[in-house]
Amino acid sequence: MAPGSRCLFLLLLGVLGVPALGDPGPLEDVVIDRYYIPKICLREAQMGDFIRYHYNGTFKDGKKFDSSYDRGATVAGVVGVGRLITGMDRGLQGMCVNERRHLIVPPHLGYGSIGVAGLIPPDATLYFDVVMLDIWNKNDKLQITTLSKPERCNRTVENSDFVRYHYNGTLLDGTPFDSSYSKGSTYDTYVGSGWLIKGMDQGLLGMCAGEKRSIIIPPFLAYGEKGYGTVIPPQASLVFSVLLVDFHNPKDGVFLEHLEVPESCKRRAVTGDFVRYHYNGTLMDGTLFDSSYSRNQTYNTYIGKGYIIPGMDQGLQGVCMGELRRVVIPPHLAYGENGAGDKIPGSAVLIFDVHIIDFHNPEDPVEIETVFRPEGCNVTTRSRDFVRYHYNCSLLDGTRLFSSHDYEKPQEVTLGANKVIEGLNSGLLDMCAGERRVLIIPPHLGHGESGARGVPGSAVLRFEVELISMEEGVPEGYLFIWHGEPPANLYEQMDLNKDGGIPADEFSTFIKTQVAEGKGRLMPSSDPEKVIADMFQNQDRNQDGKITPNELKLKSDEDQEKIHEEL
């Protein structure tokens, strides 16, 4: 018993003129001992309130005459309107939920001189031990307290939305009756469609995803006079602590948020494009369920063709290279009621934060941008020309891959000889010495789906190229061509010492002389000696170290013989 309440009790006896010791004599009013008062008392029972309480009723000698505990059911009724004995009506007023009181009710405020046959004798003083469990009024409304709210809230719950939430449910005195956390899954339902008790239907309206609320629901907006099973008594107020995990509407489409769009966006992705992107995938409460970054590899796919969930198919339409975009996808455009695996629950709204690395279309050509072209550019590169060039190669997100500047000399290649990727080969055509270009090469003209060492699969490449020099080439299959008609007596001129055989040194001297005099040219290469050696090897049919008249043949004659043999 609290010291203050005990003093109050003694003071009351003194006021009634009862001696401090011995028989106190008859009582004029109810004696109230508030031996436990909760620290927080949001409301006190007033006349006309509906209350629920437990009690034990005894006589002065301690003999029990009644107990709600023994019946296994609380007592519910209206206080202060004459439905209870007067002493109890008075003794219950002003009580808080979870407060405990000892009440001493004199006979004239109890059952008087008549008593209750077989239960309470006439003129009996009654002793009650009472605990208050619930207080409400028919004029009560829903009590909603916002416990926490996210900084960003683009939309709030409305009727007909489908919600997923966690909750702890207790009676007003704190007795738990249910919890979604104990089941390991959210409670998922429609709002405003009669699937919930009225108080919860109303209490969820206006919530943001991630918001926490306390919702106190009076019985007439909950389970009313019937209660629910063995866990919710009749006329019980309910307290729900709710965390809204996510919500959507069956009519929702994909919601897009453009987080960062590059200033330059020459083209936007459309159906049929192949997109490479990084992403983080989260639920609406921020739980990460997947990330391409964790695999250190982009996600690569066609869009608009059903290879990915419909929401992402839609959400990637119109992206720019380098764009950061948030795609919010309702479940009917994601994994539906069943979810996916153990990380995406059923009916979950998904949020993808995507970074577009690049995209292309299988029909895309090489994109060529001329940065600088010298004046008086009359001679340009053609297929089979030998060129020297510098280059920087990167991905479209700026990731540096390769550079010729890392080596001592420029890159050298014969165009059209399948020595470089097709896109670079075509991008080097029709260039002047000194010209600079930027080439955007789609993967089907680059390193394809498999990529190459240091190059990701399906990557669009960006080349900055500068043509240093060029040498006119020879047709495919030729190592040397004449600028005019070859000599009629070619073998005799080539046989410098007139001994009837042409060794390698005579052959080399003759070819070099023709080149020096401008009568012909070799296939351009960084090693003309090797080209001449290959020419000699081709003519020395029997590989005896010299060319005979029967072995020497022009390439054009060989091609004619081959056609004849095929015919």
Side-chain angles (χ1 to χ4, degrees):
M1 176 184 296
S5 58
R6 177 60 68 190
C7 291
L8 176 64
F9 176 63
L10 295 175
L11 179 62
L12 179 60
L13 295 181
V15 170
L16 294 173
V18 181
L21 299 174
D23 189 352
L27 298 175
E28 295 295 329
D29 204 347
V30 178
V31 177
I32 300 173
D33 179 8
R34 303 179 70 184
Y35 71 92
Y36 174 75
I37 302 175
K39 293 181 179 179
I40 299 176
C41 181
L42 300 177
R43 177 174 180 174
E44 296 180 347
Q46 303 293 327
M47 186 179 296
D49 283 344
F50 289 81
I51 58 173
R52 278 195 319 107
Y53 59 95
H54 262 311
Y55 73 91
N56 282 317
T58 63
F59 300 119
K60 182 177 181 180
D61 60 3
K63 181 180 179 182
K64 187 188 298 184
F65 64 82
D66 192 15
S67 172
S68 62
Y69 295 98
D70 293 345
R71 293 193 299 273
T74 55
V75 178
V78 181
V79 67
V81 294
R83 296 181 184 178
L84 303 171
I85 59 173
T86 304
M88 187 65 84
D89 249 350
R90 296 180 184 179
L92 294 175
Q93 291 191 45
M95 285 191 78
C96 305
V97 172
N98 285 326
E99 182 177 344
R100 293 177 179 269
R101 290 183 177 184
H102 286 305
L103 307 178
I104 303 177
V105 179
H108 67 280
L109 298 179
Y111 293 97
S113 59
I114 299 176
V116 178
L119 182 64
I120 298 176
D123 297 317
T125 299
L126 307 179
Y127 295 76
F128 291 95
D129 188 87
V130 182
V131 56
M132 183 64 66
L133 301 177
D134 201 342
I135 305 170
W136 59 278
N137 193 286
K138 61 182 180 180
N139 296 321
D140 283 349
K141 296 180 180 180
L142 214 60
Q143 298 180 49
I144 298 175
T145 304
T146 299
L147 305 177
S148 66
K149 197 170 186 176
E151 293 183 3
R152 298 182 59 186
C153 183
N154 295 326
R155 179 184 156 196
T156 60
V157 174
E158 300 175 358
N159 279 324
S160 79
D161 283 343
F162 188 89
V163 295
R164 296 177 53 243
Y165 62 94
H166 271 302
Y167 68 89
N168 286 317
T170 66
L171 303 180
L172 204 59
D173 66 342
T175 302
F177 62 81
D178 195 13
S179 173
S180 63
Y181 296 97
S182 66
K183 301 181 180 70
S185 62
T186 54
Y187 191 82
D188 308 340
T189 188
Y190 287 95
V191 173
S193 299
W195 295 86
L196 295 166
I197 56 175
K198 291 181 179 180
M200 189 61 85
D201 253 346
Q202 298 174 21
L204 293 172
L205 294 176
M207 287 192 78
C208 304
E211 182 176 343
K212 292 182 179 179
R213 279 185 178 181
S214 172
I215 305 172
I216 302 177
I217 305 175
F220 55 85
L221 295 177
Y223 293 98
E225 297 179 358
K226 295 182 178 179
Y228 187 82
T230 59
V231 293
I232 299 178
Q235 301 290 21
S237 300
L238 306 182
V239 180
F240 286 93
S241 177
V242 176
L243 168 61
L244 185 63
V245 175
D246 74 14
F247 68 96
H248 73 280
N249 195 283
K251 298 179 181 179
D252 283 348
V254 173
F255 175 77
L256 302 179
E257 187 175 352
H258 304 280
L259 304 178
E260 184 178 324
V261 181
E263 291 183 6
S264 175
C265 183
K266 296 180 179 178
R267 176 184 157 194
R268 296 179 179 271
V270 297
T271 293
D273 283 344
F274 190 88
V275 183
R276 294 196 316 122
Y277 60 96
H278 270 303
Y279 70 89
N280 284 320
T282 63
L283 305 179
M284 284 191 80
D285 64 356
T287 301
L288 183 71
F289 63 80
D290 194 16
S291 173
S292 63
Y293 296 98
S294 65
R295 296 187 291 273
N296 196 31
Q297 184 176 352
T298 56
Y299 192 84
N300 310 329
T301 187
Y302 288 95
I303 63 170
K305 291 192 170 185
Y307 291 110
I308 47 181
I309 57 175
M312 190 60 86
D313 249 349
Q314 297 176 25
L316 293 175
Q317 296 283 336
V319 291
C320 300
M321 292 182 188
E323 181 176 347
L324 296 176
R325 177 180 286 193
R326 177 167 292 160
V327 185
V328 182
I329 305 176
H332 53 274
L333 296 175
Y335 295 98
E337 296 181 3
N338 296 323
D342 57 356
K343 292 188 175 181
I344 300 179
S347 300
V349 177
L350 307 183
I351 300 176
F352 288 91
D353 285 326
V354 299
H355 178 204
I356 306 302
I357 303 302
D358 64 33
F359 61 86
H360 72 282
N361 193 282
E363 298 180 359
D364 283 348
V366 175
E367 182 182 328
I368 300 174
E369 179 186 354
T370 300
V371 177
F372 172 75
R373 189 176 178 95
E375 294 182 5
C377 176
N378 298 320
V379 180
T380 60
T381 53
R382 297 179 297 175
S383 183
R384 308 306 301 174
D385 283 353
F386 183 77
V387 297
R388 293 179 178 85
Y389 62 97
H390 270 304
Y391 72 90
N392 292 315
C393 176
S394 64
L395 301 178
L396 290 191
D397 65 353
T399 302
R400 184 179 183 274
L401 298 181
F402 314 106
S403 175
S404 62
H405 297 282
D406 295 337
Y407 304 96
E408 294 181 358
K409 58 182 182 179
Q411 186 81 359
E412 298 178 341
V413 72
T414 298
L415 298 178
N418 297 319
K419 298 298 183 182
V420 293
I421 57 175
E422 184 178 348
L424 179 56
N425 188 90
S426 62
L428 289 169
L429 293 174
D430 195 33
M431 286 189 77
C432 302
E435 183 174 344
R436 296 194 301 272
R437 288 179 174 179
V438 173
L439 311 177
I440 306 299
I441 302 176
H444 55 276
L445 299 176
H447 292 285
E449 294 182 6
S450 301
R453 185 176 180 180
V455 180
S458 299
V460 179
L461 302 179
R462 184 181 190 273
F463 278 87
E464 297 173 350
V465 296
E466 179 182 6
L467 188 65
I468 305 302
S469 64
M470 55 183 288
E471 297 177 34
E472 190 176 2
V474 298
E476 185 175 1
Y478 285 78
L479 298 177
F480 173 88
I481 62 169
W482 297 96
H483 289 161
E485 290 294 325
N489 52 353
L490 178 59
Y491 188 86
E492 293 178 4
Q493 290 191 30
M494 196 175 290
D495 183 9
L496 300 180
N497 62 8
K498 310 304 180 186
D499 64 351
I502 304 171
D505 57 342
E506 280 188 350
F507 183 84
S508 177
T509 300
F510 176 80
I511 295 298
K512 289 178 180 178
T513 299
Q514 305 309 303
V515 173
E517 293 177 354
K519 295 179 179 179
R521 68 176 184 273
L522 290 167
M523 180 184 77
S525 169
S526 58
D527 188 1
E529 294 291 346
K530 184 178 184 306
V531 176
I532 295 174
D534 288 343
M535 291 175 63
F536 180 82
Q537 190 79 6
N538 291 341
Q539 295 296 326
D540 184 12
R541 317 278 174 179
N542 61 8
Q543 305 297 304
D544 63 354
K546 62 181 180 180
I547 301 173
T548 64
N550 291 332
E551 290 177 321
L552 184 64
K553 292 180 181 179
L554 296 175
K555 181 72 169 59
S556 57
D557 295 336
E558 290 180 342
D559 292 342
Q560 288 298 321
E561 289 180 2
K562 185 175 181 180
I563 294 173
H564 180 73
E565 289 173 359
E566 290 175 352
L567 292 174

